[in-house]
Amino acid sequence: MSYLDDPRVLFAAERTLLAWQRTAIALIGLGFVIERFGLFLQLFSRQPVSGGRHDMSMWVGVGMLIVAALISTVSAVQFRRFLLTLSGREIPPGYWPYLGFWVNLALSALALVLAGYFILSANV
């Protein structure tokens, strides 16, 4: 039995995918906070809404959301490529190995939708 016949190899790869997923979620959260923090500063200072500072925080936040989407997508594609190299013996019966892949793609789509919303709401 080679080391690849062991399902622990699959689970190790899945743990790596989940670590990248946690990184993307953290970047999404931080990007959201940074984007909204500029609006909070404007409201707190009681000055009329203008470009400037809010634009900077909006673009930094959107940039972080886009980076999170890229991380999530690349890690999902890399995990899928790894899954294609596995044989049937390496995947336990009844286990859904593609669940993490689909969750990462959904997370990527969510980050891009949020980034688009921030960009469109800034132009209103």
Side-chain angles (χ1 to χ4, degrees), residues 78-94:
Q78 186 175 3
F79 180 71
R80 184 177 178 276
R81 284 182 184 165
F82 173 75
L83 282 179
L84 293 175
T85 66
L86 295 178
S87 68
R89 294 177 295 175
E90 295 156 328
I91 301 172

Side-chain angles (χ1 to χ4, degrees), residues 20 36 42 46 48 63-64 67 80 85-86 101 103 108 115 123:
W20 282 112
R36 288 299 163 183
Q42 283 182 350
R46 294 186 179 142
M64 293 185 87
V67 168
R80 184 177 178 276
T85 66
L86 295 178
F101 169 78
V103 169
S108 178
N123 293 332

Side-chain angles (χ1 to χ4, degrees), residues 1-84:
M1 173 164 101
S2 74
Y3 77 93
L4 288 179
D5 290 341
D6 192 353
R8 290 181 292 184
V9 174
L10 166 67
F11 297 138
E14 194 169 55
R15 279 191 305 273
T16 303
L17 175 72
L18 293 175
W20 282 112
Q21 192 177 81
R22 284 190 303 271
T23 302
I25 290 170
L27 284 172
I28 290 170
L30 189 59
F32 180 84
V33 168
I34 288 173
E35 198 283 334
R36 288 299 163 183
F37 190 69
L39 182 61
F40 170 75
L41 286 178
Q42 283 182 350
L43 293 174
F44 188 69
S45 68
R46 294 186 179 142
Q47 293 180 4
V49 176
S50 63
R53 290 185 189 163
H54 180 60
D55 284 347
M56 178 67 170
S57 66
M58 192 268 300
W59 286 115
V60 170
V62 166
M64 293 185 87
L65 289 168
I66 291 171
V67 168
L70 286 173
I71 287 173
S72 187
T73 301
V74 168
S75 64
V77 168
Q78 186 175 3
F79 180 71
R80 184 177 178 276
R81 284 182 184 165
F82 173 75
L83 282 179
L84 293 175

